[in-house]
Amino acid sequence: MNLHALRIFVEVASKGNVTTAAASLSISQPAVSAQIRKLEAELGKRLLAPKGRGIVLTQEGQFLYARARRIFDWEKELEAEWEDVKSGMRGRLRVASTFLPSLYFVPAWLASFKRRYEQVEVEMRTGNSQQSLQRLLRNQADVAVITNESWDDHPVRKELITNVEYWFVVPRDHPLAGQEVPLKVLMREPFLLRETGSSTREKLFSLCREHGVAPPKVGLQYHGLVESIQSVKAGYGAMLAPEPAVSDLAQRGEVGRVRITGVEIERPVYICTRLEDEEIGPIAARFLDLVLGRNVDH
């Protein structure tokens, strides 16, 4: 079916007059009449009949008009929605995040983002640094929020959000709780370690190499932050943990902090996008602006 002729027919049917429809379409009246005749020939039925100075729809014309109008109403709706997609008001945002920001930063950002952009679907996946980075590079995420120091020339564009202090913690009744000791003393304790690919695990091992200390033995290995802290709270092992996750527990006496002589640990949290993308998508750009506190209209 000729959609151009169908569009003209719908305009004529809605206006009830060929001359008015021609003016609305900015084409000549003979051109309108020719398109209507062509459509009637294609369908094998008369669609319009003259009535005074105007026209009236035949029964077949009424049938066609009722259904064809939906097509062009849907087209207008699609055009409006597409403008929302282009501007970042509608679509999907996929966020990959490491455990610390996914627990303490990202939920508040996403809540604020959804209040502003209700029509955007949001999906968040949590993993270690390596997993989150790979999701970004494999185009399984639009942005990644990562706590990490070593990037190994990965093709990412990164912007610093904040630096987070990290503490060593032990069970509350541990002999070292509340003490300050050399690193080698604490490294004799069994440690709760994150899985391979975790930047926190690599940070601990890097600290040992830097100070010429043997790394700790693995007491338990977890694939998550909260589970590790719960084991320390329950009375086993030492761990390196972000301050936001353990400061309240330490203040309440549920875990003990161990200070290391000459060592203060701060770790950076970055928001990352793919370097190969010359232009960041509008939805991801709006999310970055929110996270970084930028007031930019797209």
Side-chain angles (χ1 to χ4, degrees):
M1 186 179 296
N2 187 317
L3 286 180
H4 176 62
L6 186 63
R7 186 188 302 275
I8 291 174
F9 163 73
V10 168
E11 189 68 18
V12 171
S14 66
K15 296 291 191 291
N17 184 282
V18 172
T19 303
T20 306
S24 175
L25 294 167
S26 299
I27 59 178
S28 68
Q29 182 176 335
V32 170
S33 299
Q35 289 294 328
I36 296 298
R37 288 195 298 272
K38 182 185 295 185
L39 183 62
E40 290 177 328
E42 180 184 356
L43 298 177
K45 289 289 184 180
R46 287 196 66 186
L47 302 174
L48 304 175
K51 183 180 180 182
R53 294 187 176 182
I55 53 92
V56 65
L57 295 174
T58 64
Q59 185 174 346
E60 292 80 8
Q62 292 174 359
F63 173 89
L64 184 63
Y65 174 61
R67 284 151 182 80
R69 185 174 55 184
R70 297 178 196 169
I71 296 174
F72 300 111
D73 286 345
W74 181 79
E75 180 187 38
K76 292 176 183 176
E77 181 181 336
L78 177 59
E79 289 173 349
E81 290 180 357
W82 182 246
E83 287 302 314
D84 285 346
V85 169
K86 287 200 303 181
S87 65
M89 299 295 292
R90 184 187 295 267
R92 184 165 65 141
L93 173 68
R94 301 169 300 166
V95 180
S97 176
T98 53
F99 289 92
L100 167 67
S102 78
L103 289 170
Y104 298 100
F105 301 134
V106 178
W109 296 337
L110 293 181
S112 179
F113 185 80
K114 281 293 287 187
R115 285 196 298 270
R116 299 186 191 188
Y117 309 112
E118 186 62 35
Q119 299 302 316
V120 175
E121 298 177 17
V122 176
E123 171 189 304
M124 190 183 83
R125 299 284 299 277
T126 302
N128 61 39
S129 298
Q130 189 177 87
Q131 291 166 337
S132 298
L133 187 57
Q134 287 305 310
R135 283 184 181 127
L136 178 66
L137 295 178
R138 292 171 182 169
N139 202 23
Q140 297 169 344
D142 305 301
V143 298
V145 185
I146 299 177
T147 306
N148 196 30
E149 291 87 356
S150 176
W151 296 92
D152 297 328
D153 296 325
H154 287 299
V156 298
R157 183 188 297 108
K158 58 186 187 295
E159 297 192 61
L160 180 67
I161 300 171
T162 188
N163 287 295
V164 177
E165 189 177 357
Y166 270 62
W167 291 3
F168 286 103
V169 293
V170 293
R172 62 183 179 181
D173 56 356
H174 193 283
L176 297 181
Q179 303 297 311
E180 180 175 321
V181 299
L183 182 65
K184 64 181 180 181
V185 172
L186 184 59
M187 292 305 105
R188 295 171 188 155
E189 301 296 320
F191 257 70
L192 302 177
L193 293 181
R194 293 279 307 284
E195 74 287 356
T196 301
S198 161
S199 63
T200 302
R201 178 189 180 112
E202 179 51 38
K203 179 63 179 179
L204 177 61
F205 287 0
S206 174
L207 189 66
C208 290
R209 291 193 297 269
E210 180 183 336
H211 289 265
V213 173
K217 71 175 184 177
V218 181
L220 286 170
Q221 179 171 296
Y222 281 102
H223 286 256
L225 172 63
V226 174
E227 301 91 329
S228 305
I229 294 171
Q230 290 301 313
S231 283
V232 176
K233 184 179 173 183
Y236 180 79
M239 72 174 292
L240 178 62
E243 178 271 337
V246 293
S247 58
D248 286 348
L249 295 177
Q251 187 173 2
R252 293 195 299 266
E254 297 180 45
V255 300
R257 182 182 179 186
V258 182
R259 298 180 184 273
I260 303 300
T261 304
V263 175
E264 296 289 340
I265 302 174
E266 277 195 347
R267 306 197 58 218
V269 179
Y270 293 96
I271 188 162
C272 308
T273 53
R274 287 178 295 277
L275 194 59
E276 66 182 28
D277 295 343
E278 294 183 3
E279 184 176 338
I280 300 171
I283 294 176
R286 287 184 182 276
F287 183 65
L288 260 67
D289 289 342
L290 183 149
V291 171
L292 297 170
R294 299 189 299 225
N295 293 317
V296 179
D297 293 327
H298 296 279

